[in-house]
C-alpha cells in the first residue's frame, strides 16, 4: 500500500546510547496502515537505534514521533505501547524459561481481561504455538521463537509494529516463511517498519524502503526501485541483481506454518 497518509511517522529524530553520542542524526521514517516498509543499510548505520528511539526504549534528543497523529516522542515505552505501537527486538524477545502460553500472556498484560480470547486467536493463527503451548519457549527452533515473539507483540493489538532483524540467524527457509508472515500482517492493515540485513529478500516483500547511512537518510522510495538501484546493489546488497524468490504471503487471519 502506497500513497496513504502515514499512521506512524518519525521526523528528524536524533539520539543514541549516551547524551554525547548521536548515532541517529535526524532520521525520518514513516509507514501507513497496511504498508510494509524496510529499513536497510550498512552495519553501524543506526537502523536498530532508530527503531529504539521510535519505540521509546531510547529517549530522542530531538525530533517528533507521531502515531495516529499523536506525538508520542519522549514517552515511556509502556505509554507508547499502550498508544498502539508494538516492538519486537532482535534479541531477548521471548522469556525462555516460561511456556509458550505464559509468553503469550506476557504480551497482553495491559488488557488482562482479553487475554484468553486473544490467546485463542493466536493459537488459531499459529497452530504450531497451540501444539507447543505447554513447552518451554527456549525449546523452540529459531523460526518458532520469532513467530512466538511476533505473536506476543500482536496480543496487544498494535496499530503499528516495529521489527528489528526478525530473520537474523534463521535458515533460508525459515526466513522466507517469516517474511511471508510479516507481509500477511501488513496486508491485514497494520503499519510495519522492519529493519533487515537480508536486504534483497526484505525488499521483495516490502512496499517501500529507506536506506540509512551514518545515522542519516540516504535514499528512500518504492522497494522495487531501491532494489534496482545499481549503487544500492553494489554498496549494500552484494552486487546481486535479483532477490531470492519470495514465499507467498501468509494471510494474517489464517493458520500459519513453521514446523
Amino acid at each position: 500500500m502506497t500513497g496513504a497518509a502515514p499512521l506512524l511517522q518519525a521526523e528528524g529524530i536524533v539520539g543514541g546510547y549516551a547524551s554525547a553520542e548521536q548515532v541517529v542524526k535526524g532520521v525520518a521514517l514513516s509507514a501507513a496502515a497496511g504498508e510494509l516498509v524496510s529499513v536497510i543499510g550498512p552495519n553501524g548505520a543506526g537502523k536498530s537505534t532508530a527503531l529504539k528511539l521510535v519505540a521509546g526504549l531510547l529517549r530522542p534528543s530531538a525530533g517528533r514521533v507521531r502515531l495516529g497523529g499523536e506525538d508520542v516522542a519522549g514517552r515511556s515505552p509502556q505509554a507508547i505501547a499502550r498508544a498502539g505501537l508494538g516492538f519486537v527486538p532482535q534479541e531477548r524477545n521471548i522469556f525462555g524459561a516460561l511456556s509458550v502460553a505464559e509468553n503469550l500472556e506476557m504480551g497482553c498484560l495491559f488488557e488482562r481481561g482479553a487475554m484468553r480470547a486473544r490467546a485463542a486467536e493466536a493459537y488459531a493463527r499459529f497452530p504450531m504455538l497451540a501444539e507447543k503451548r505447554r513447552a518451554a519457549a527456549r525449546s523452540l527452533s529459531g523460526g518458532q521463537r520469532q513467530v512466538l515473539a511476533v505473536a506476543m507483540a500482536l496480543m496487544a493489538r498494535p496499530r503499528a509494529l516495529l521489527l528489528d532483524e526478525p530473520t537474523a540467524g534463521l535458515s533460508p527457509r525459515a526466513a522466507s516463511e517469516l517474511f511471508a508472515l510479516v507481509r500477511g500482517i501488513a496486508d491485514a492493515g497494520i503499519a510495519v517498519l522492519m529493519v533487515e540485513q537480508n536486504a534483497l529478500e526484505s525488499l521483495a516483500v516490502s512496499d517501500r524502503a529507506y536506506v540509512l547511512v551514518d545515522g542519516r537518510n540516504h535514499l528512500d522510495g518504492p522497494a522495487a526501485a531501491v532494489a534496482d538501484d545499481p549503487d544500492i546493489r553494489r554498496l549494500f546488497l552484494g552486487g546481486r541483481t535479483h532477490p531470492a524468490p519470495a514465499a507467498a504471503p501468509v494471510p494474517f487471519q489464517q493458520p500459519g506454518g513453521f514446523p
Side-chain angles (χ1 to χ4, degrees), residues 123 126-133 140 143-144 147-148 256-259:
Y123 293 139
F126 311 113
M128 174 275 298
L129 298 182
E131 295 168 4
K132 297 179 178 291
R133 70 181 72 189
L140 302 180
Q144 291 169 345
V147 173
L148 176 57
F258 287 87

Side-chain angles (χ1 to χ4, degrees), residues 168-196:
L170 299 187
S171 68
R173 177 190 173 189
S176 179
E177 291 176 344
L178 191 64
F179 280 135
L181 170 64
V182 174
R183 178 69 258 180
I185 291 171
D187 289 342
I190 295 175
V192 181
L193 269 175
M194 176 171 63
V195 163
E196 258 299 334

Side-chain angles (χ1 to χ4, degrees), residues 212-240:
L212 303 188
V213 177
D214 191 27
R216 296 181 173 87
N217 288 72
H218 178 75
L219 178 70
D220 65 83
V226 172
D228 286 339
D229 185 290
D231 290 332
I232 297 303
R233 288 203 305 268
R234 183 178 68 255
L235 294 174
F236 307 128
L237 308 181
R240 289 182 291 163

Side-chain angles (χ1 to χ4, degrees), residues 50-70:
L51 287 197
K52 292 174 183 176
L53 289 164
V54 172
L57 297 174
L58 297 173
R59 182 176 290 273
S61 58
R64 292 184 293 185
V65 179
R66 290 190 176 92
L67 180 61
E70 182 181 5

Side-chain angles (χ1 to χ4, degrees), residues 21-159:
E21 180 187 22
Q22 293 184 355
V23 177
V24 175
K25 306 165 185 175
V27 162
L29 302 169
S30 70
E35 187 178 38
L36 173 53
V37 181
S38 283
V39 183
I40 64 172
N43 290 333
K47 305 181 299 296
S48 295
T49 304
L51 287 197
K52 292 174 183 176
L53 289 164
V54 172
L57 297 174
L58 297 173
R59 182 176 290 273
S61 58
R64 292 184 293 185
V65 179
R66 290 190 176 92
L67 180 61
E70 182 181 5
D71 193 350
V72 297
R75 295 186 186 179
S76 70
Q78 294 82 3
I80 294 176
R82 287 177 184 270
L85 182 61
F87 177 59
V88 180
Q90 178 182 352
E91 300 176 336
R92 299 180 180 179
N93 52 21
I94 62 169
F95 299 93
L98 300 182
S99 69
V100 166
E102 290 168 334
N103 270 269
L104 290 178
E105 291 176 4
M106 295 296 289
C108 200
L109 287 179
F110 295 150
E111 299 177 80
R112 298 185 67 87
M115 189 177 295
R116 181 172 297 181
R118 293 186 187 178
E121 292 175 4
Y123 293 139
R125 290 167 179 158
F126 311 113
M128 174 275 298
L129 298 182
E131 295 168 4
K132 297 179 178 291
R133 70 181 72 189
R134 294 183 179 86
R138 64 187 169 208
S139 71
L140 302 180
S141 70
Q144 291 169 345
R145 291 186 186 195
Q146 289 301 91
V147 173
L148 176 57
V150 171
M152 289 171 62
L154 295 175
M155 286 284 287
R157 297 281 177 86
R159 294 181 288 167

